[in-house]
Amino acid sequence: MSGDSGTRELEDGRPGYRLVRREDVELTDALPGRSSGLTACRLVDGTLGSTHMALTLASLVGGHVDEHLHSFETSFYVLEGELVLFLEGRGVKLGPGACGAIPVGTPHAFRSTDAARWIEMMSPRPRVDRSDTFFLGPAPDSEAVELDVRDPRNHNFFLLTDGEMDLERLKAGQAMGAPTVSGSMATAVLAYSGIAVKMLVDQRLDAQLHTMFMVDYQPGALANPHDHPFEESYYMLEGEVDVVADGARHTLRPGDAFWTGTGCVHAFYETKGRPVRWLETSAASRSVR
């Protein structure tokens, strides 16, 4: 393990924040007997400090995950490759930038012909003994369709395409027939202090217990010290950013994961003069409106 990976406590003994360096992320076989080609690394969960969430990096190489359901809510964001998600028996092809919500009690399964990698968020945190996951049978092998977020059958999915967080590009109107949802406040980019935030998963995708969103920092952007009555996780995608949490400073790079507990005072500073992007999730009491 690198010297600064691990979970730190606040002065009152509660978990404050957690840092996982990319070099310490180890994908190991997951769900033996219920999957093939699946490896995963749990970045955050109840054993690692969290009360309300779990965050996992998962990979599926030419394999499957049997059909199952959870008594917790799940969301995902595809990082690489193509993943086929069977949601209630209907298969949808998901490439990089595809994301969505899997509501509590909804049967689902996965397949991948080549290799796919994704981030998976769960809330509330799963039980250690997996007694809140119920397997139903083999993964379907029916033909999957391309993702079209305008199709009402795909109301649990969203696709973040290139340029959607480019504020200059957003000054122009959306092209007719563009493969995205209609523009609205629910899908708008929030811009402030050199920061752009795009909501990916919330109530509009049937997520009730957590949110997932993308954050972009322009050169020199910053978020001053603050805390929340909810937990947050951050998975770095591009660039570098300095985070100060409970008085300690760390530089986050692509592939690093960070988590802050309720009440942990934290701040972010872009100091390299380059854009930064990360995937962020929050649970459990944040308003999703």
Side-chain angles (χ1 to χ4, degrees):
M1 294 283 286
S2 59
D4 53 355
S5 280
T7 304
R8 308 296 198 279
E9 293 184 346
L10 301 176
E11 290 185 359
D12 60 6
R14 293 182 296 114
Y17 71 90
R18 175 171 173 78
L19 170 61
V20 183
R21 290 296 186 193
R22 177 177 181 172
E23 55 266 32
D24 296 324
V25 174
E26 182 180 359
L27 296 172
T28 59
D29 290 340
L31 300 178
R34 300 292 189 177
S35 68
S36 64
L38 178 69
T39 56
C41 178
R42 186 59 61 82
L43 303 172
V44 177
D45 69 5
T47 66
L48 302 171
S50 174
T51 299
H52 298 294
M53 71 165 67
L55 192 75
T56 298
L57 176 65
S59 172
L60 187 60
V61 181
H64 76 281
V65 179
D66 286 346
E67 189 172 42
H68 60 289
L69 57 82
H70 306 294
S71 61
F72 50 84
E73 186 174 85
T74 304
S75 66
F76 62 87
Y77 181 88
V78 179
L79 300 169
E80 303 172 7
E82 183 178 85
L83 181 69
V84 175
L85 170 59
F86 292 91
L87 194 63
E88 296 187 292
R90 180 173 177 270
V92 180
K93 298 177 183 178
L94 305 170
C99 53
I102 303 174
V104 175
T106 302
H108 60 285
F110 298 98
R111 285 194 181 275
S112 178
T113 302
D114 297 315
R117 182 174 289 211
W118 70 98
I119 286 288
E120 192 166 290
M121 161 73 176
M122 292 145 277
S123 182
R125 70 185 195 195
R127 296 174 183 169
V128 175
D129 63 3
R130 299 187 184 277
S131 61
D132 46 4
T133 296
F134 307 89
F135 285 92
L136 307 175
D141 57 4
S142 55
E143 190 71 21
V145 301
E146 300 290 340
L147 174 60
D148 182 351
V149 294
R150 298 167 300 179
D151 187 331
R153 294 172 295 178
N154 294 331
H155 64 277
N156 293 117
F157 301 118
F158 186 71
L159 178 62
L160 184 66
T161 57
D162 290 341
E164 281 196 68
M165 298 187 68
D166 184 337
L167 298 182
E168 290 301 315
R169 177 175 167 180
L170 289 172
K171 292 178 181 178
Q174 178 178 293
M176 183 65 68
T180 185
V181 295
S182 299
S184 71
M185 290 305 295
T187 58
V189 174
L190 174 64
Y192 61 99
S193 302
I195 303 169
V197 178
K198 176 81 169 183
M199 184 59 65
L200 302 178
V201 177
D202 61 4
Q203 286 183 346
R204 77 185 196 282
L205 300 190
D206 290 346
Q208 306 297 322
L209 303 175
H210 75 286
T211 61
M212 174 183 285
F213 46 101
M214 192 66 72
V215 177
D216 276 10
Y217 268 41
Q218 294 302 306
L222 60 89
N224 286 311
H226 61 284
D227 64 354
H228 307 288
F230 47 83
E231 300 177 10
E232 290 186 320
S233 76
Y234 322 81
Y235 184 79
M236 292 294 297
L237 298 175
E238 300 174 16
E240 297 183 9
V241 71
D242 283 4
V243 59
V244 177
D246 196 30
R249 192 177 190 112
H250 305 275
T251 298
L252 304 181
R253 304 175 180 89
D256 290 346
F258 200 75
W259 167 87
T260 54
T262 57
C264 176
V265 177
H266 56 285
F268 293 94
Y269 304 95
E270 194 294 306
T271 63
K272 306 294 185 182
R274 295 190 292 270
V276 183
R277 173 172 287 195
W278 68 76
L279 182 70
E280 187 165 335
T281 67
S282 66
S285 59
R286 180 188 176 115
S287 171
V288 293
R289 290 293 186 186

